[in-house]
Amino acid sequence: MTAQSERTLVIVKPDGYRRGLTGEVLRRIEAKGYVLAELKVATPDRERLAKHYAEHEGKPFYQPLLEFMSSGPATFAVVEGHRCIEGFRALAGATDPTAALPGTIRGDLGRDWGEKVQANIVHGSDSPESAEREIGIWFA
Ligand code: DAT
Ligand code: MG
C-alpha cells in the first residue's frame, strides 16, 4: 500500500453471489481504477457477522440481516486506492436499492424483494476506522 493509498472492505453479499453478480461488481471496481488486494469466497458465520454489524444491534432489521448474510456464500475483497472508501460507496449507491440511482451497483442491479432486510448486493466500509476493523474481522 502506497502512502497515498487507502483500503476498504467490500462484500458481495449472498444475494449478489447467488445471482452471479460477483464478476460484475469486481469489474466495476477495477474499471474505476481500484486494485483488488485480497479476495475470497466464504459463507459468513454468525459470530463474525455480529462483530461486523455491532452498530446495528437492537434495530428491527438486525436479526433478519444476520439471517440473510449467513444464508450462503459471499465474496470478500480488500480493495485499495486513494479515496477508495468514498469512491466505492459512490459506486454502490444508496442503501435502499429501490431509491439507489441508476448507474450505481444497487441502482442498476438491486431491487426491493419485499423482505425485512434490504438485500442490496454489496457492503462497503464507511470510514478508515471501519475499514481496518472490518478487514481485521474477515481477513484475520
Ligand atoms: P450501508 O450498507 O449502506 O452502509 P447500513 O450500514 O446503514 O447501510 O446498514 C447495513 C445493512 O443493513 C444494509 O446494507 C441493509 C440493512 N439495512 C439497513 N437499514 C435498513 C432498513 N431500514 N431496513 C431493512 N434493512 C436495512
Ligand atoms: Mg454500513
Side-chain angles (χ1 to χ4, degrees):
M1 192 163 69
T2 66
Q4 284 272 293
S5 209
E6 182 173 85
R7 301 197 299 171
T8 189
L9 179 79
V10 171
I11 307 174
V12 182
K13 298 181 179 184
D15 60 327
Y17 184 89
R18 270 195 286 274
R19 291 177 57 204
L21 297 174
T22 303
E24 172 64 15
V25 171
L26 299 182
R27 185 195 67 73
R28 289 178 185 222
I29 290 168
E30 288 195 305
K32 183 77 173 178
Y34 300 135
V35 171
L36 298 171
E38 299 204 53
L39 198 57
K40 72 171 178 191
V41 174
T43 300
D45 58 278
R46 304 279 298 210
E47 195 183 327
R48 281 189 284 187
L49 284 170
K51 283 188 194 162
H52 178 92
Y53 283 122
E55 64 170 313
H56 296 303
E57 202 184 336
K59 294 182 186 171
F61 60 84
Y62 176 75
Q63 285 301 337
L65 177 62
L66 263 55
E67 214 46 55
F68 159 64
M69 287 298 295
S70 58
S71 67
T75 301
F76 295 80
V78 177
V79 171
E80 240 177 67
H82 184 57
R83 297 182 69 197
C84 69
I85 294 172
E86 183 186 355
F88 179 75
R89 300 272 296 182
L91 286 183
T95 304
D96 176 355
T98 297
L101 292 177
T104 65
I105 292 166
R106 289 161 169 174
D108 286 348
L109 309 172
R111 54 164 285 195
D112 189 343
W113 300 89
E115 311 285 340
K116 285 187 198 133
V117 70
Q118 303 286 3
N120 56 12
I121 306 171
V122 287
H123 166 82
S125 310
D126 63 8
S127 70
E129 297 70 35
S130 303
E132 290 313 309
R133 192 179 72 82
E134 292 169 2
I135 290 167
I137 293 171
W138 300 107
F139 287 93

